[in-house]
Amino acid sequence: MPIAPDQLPNEPEALQRIIAAMAQDAMAAQAEIARLKFQLARYQRAEFGRSSEKLARAAEQLELAIESLEEDQAERLAAAPVVAAAIEGAAEAQKPARRPLPDHLPREDALHPAPCTCPSCGGTLRRIGEDITETLDYVPGRFKVIRHIREKLSCRACDTVVAAPAPDHAIARGRAGAGLLAHILVSKYDDHLPLYRQAEIFAREGVRLETSTLSGWVGASAAALPPLVNALTGAVMASDTLYVDDTPVPVLAPGTGKTKTGRLWTYVCDERPFAGERPPAALFFYSPDRKGEHPRAHLKDFRGVIHADGYAGFNELFAGNRIAEAACWAHVRRKFFDVHAATGSPIAKEALDRIGQLYRVEQTIHRVLPDNRRRERQQRSLPIAAGLQAWAEETTRKLSRKSELAAAFRYMRSRWTALTRCFNDGRLALDNNPAERALRCVAIGRKNYLFAGSDAGGRRAAALYSLIESAKLNGLNPQLYIADVLARIGDHPARRIADLLPWNWKPVEITRAA
């Protein structure tokens, strides 16, 4: 786990032990990266030989594993800068040499003027030169280089040399602008492009960046975001209603070359269907398995109703009065749809038609206040549901218990109390679709990534998914939002971190004007 600066011991011996342990971990990670790169080189040499498709897939898996290990290492170092500085020298020698930024890219100068008078004696300053630091940045559709020009002046009276302070970068000791970092993050987590593919795209534009460099930037960027993710967590868990779902993600098991199955959980707050005041947001968590202890930990501070799909791991949450369950009519409908699609059953068709009547009522009360929604449902939806229940009881007696159709009826009847809770509470929805929509980004990314490289990579993905999906729910361009957040979060007051949440965020130009 990263060590915060205020948690470091004062005793030199204890600090040396921590530095030695981190250095050992860093060397072990470097050794594992080197081993995987050697294996990748072997696969790439044999790519056009026998079983080339299998080798190409294995090579892609190794690329992703190397990316994740390098991101993990960068995030650990960025989260513990005091210790990182002590071990950075040893690791620096193993990094590829920095290339000069390409000459063909347009340059944009940012002038940082020095003070007007000597800070030592108050004397008059004369210009003696300037320091120039170049940062590679990205605006939608093109790269550019920003030349940070820092004036250097000397005092005529006492010869003191004065220069403007070095510009703040989105990540420490980095040459990447916030726009480029945001482009890389959004391309990886929203457009589902692994870093080695992004490196290939950049190379076609004449900008050659090592995948290890991109991995370092991703890890360092992620290390800057926990305060904002924590604020987002508090905002989501303060809601009265949540949509909850989870999905599997293959994760590389360390040292085995095989994958295990982790989970990504999502908790969505969306009050727009009943004209609520809370802004929409999506929160993601990663866990290495699907044990019920994980949602119980995620929801330890939540009170209200969750829309869920009947997962047994939630049952302990409903044991007291703190959390109630609203079941999902879409899951019920899906089971009857599968039977009808496979067999053409007229009974399944009638079930679909009856459930469809409930959804037609919903279309007429979208964005209506909760009391009005409840009143309409009790007048129109409750009779439909009562008719469906009576018909289901009568029909089930005539079916073979082993049939898929009978199983669909049992699924519906066993969840009847949770399914009908929405008819007495206008804040609730018929289904859990907002959570399923939030997880689509994971499903698409899973096809491209094949797997997450580590548990730390899963947690990093959960944090970035949270910010990106919440930005999209609030109508923001996630790339512009993430770029501005990365540019400002380093010196943003901790007590005002909520200003950077998607629904409160204003671009820096508007903030300065205000």
Side-chain angles (χ1 to χ4, degrees), residues 442-457:
V442 181
I444 298 172
R446 188 167 50 211
K447 294 178 181 179
N448 283 6
Y449 292 160
L450 310 179
F451 56 79
S454 64
D455 288 335

Side-chain angles (χ1 to χ4, degrees), residues 70-117:
E70 290 174 334
E71 289 172 10
D72 294 349
Q73 192 171 14
E75 187 171 1
R76 284 195 299 269
L77 294 178
V82 175
V83 180
I87 65 174
E88 190 181 35
E92 196 68 32
Q94 302 180 35
K95 293 182 180 179
R98 276 187 173 180
R99 296 190 183 97
L101 297 179
D103 292 334
H104 71 276
L105 295 179
R107 258 62 178 175
E108 179 180 302
D109 290 350
L111 182 61
H112 302 271
C116 297
T117 58

Side-chain angles (χ1 to χ4, degrees), residues 108 137-144 146 179-180 183 479-480:
E108 179 180 302
D137 212 337
Y138 184 88
V139 294
R142 64 182 176 90
F143 285 95
K144 66 177 181 180
I146 299 177
L180 176 57
H183 176 67
Q479 185 165 314
L480 296 180

Side-chain angles (χ1 to χ4, degrees), residues 205-325:
E205 298 186 43
V207 179
R208 298 191 175 275
L209 295 170
E210 300 291 341
T211 304
S212 59
T213 300
L214 301 182
S215 299
W217 289 349
V218 169
S221 299
L225 296 172
L228 185 57
V229 176
N230 292 339
L232 180 65
T233 301
V236 170
M237 291 303 167
S239 173
D240 299 320
T241 61
L242 289 179
Y243 301 88
V244 180
D245 205 355
D246 69 293
T247 192
V249 285
V251 181
L252 188 67
T256 66
K258 300 179 180 179
T259 58
K260 61 181 181 178
T261 301
R263 309 295 296 194
L264 274 173
W265 308 79
T266 189
Y267 301 87
V268 178
C269 168
D270 191 351
E271 298 185 354
R272 291 174 296 180
F274 60 88
E277 295 181 356
R278 292 184 185 276
L283 183 65
F284 290 78
F285 291 102
Y286 168 82
S287 67
D289 52 53
R290 205 193 185 197
K291 294 178 181 177
E293 65 193 48
H294 302 301
R296 289 197 294 274
H298 303 156
L299 295 167
K300 66 182 187 300
D301 298 323
F302 174 76
R303 286 184 170 274
V305 184
I306 63 170
H307 298 77
D309 61 1
Y311 166 51
F314 293 138
N315 289 345
E316 288 191 30
L317 293 171
F318 310 135
N321 296 323
R322 185 170 61 89
I323 298 178
E325 177 189 16

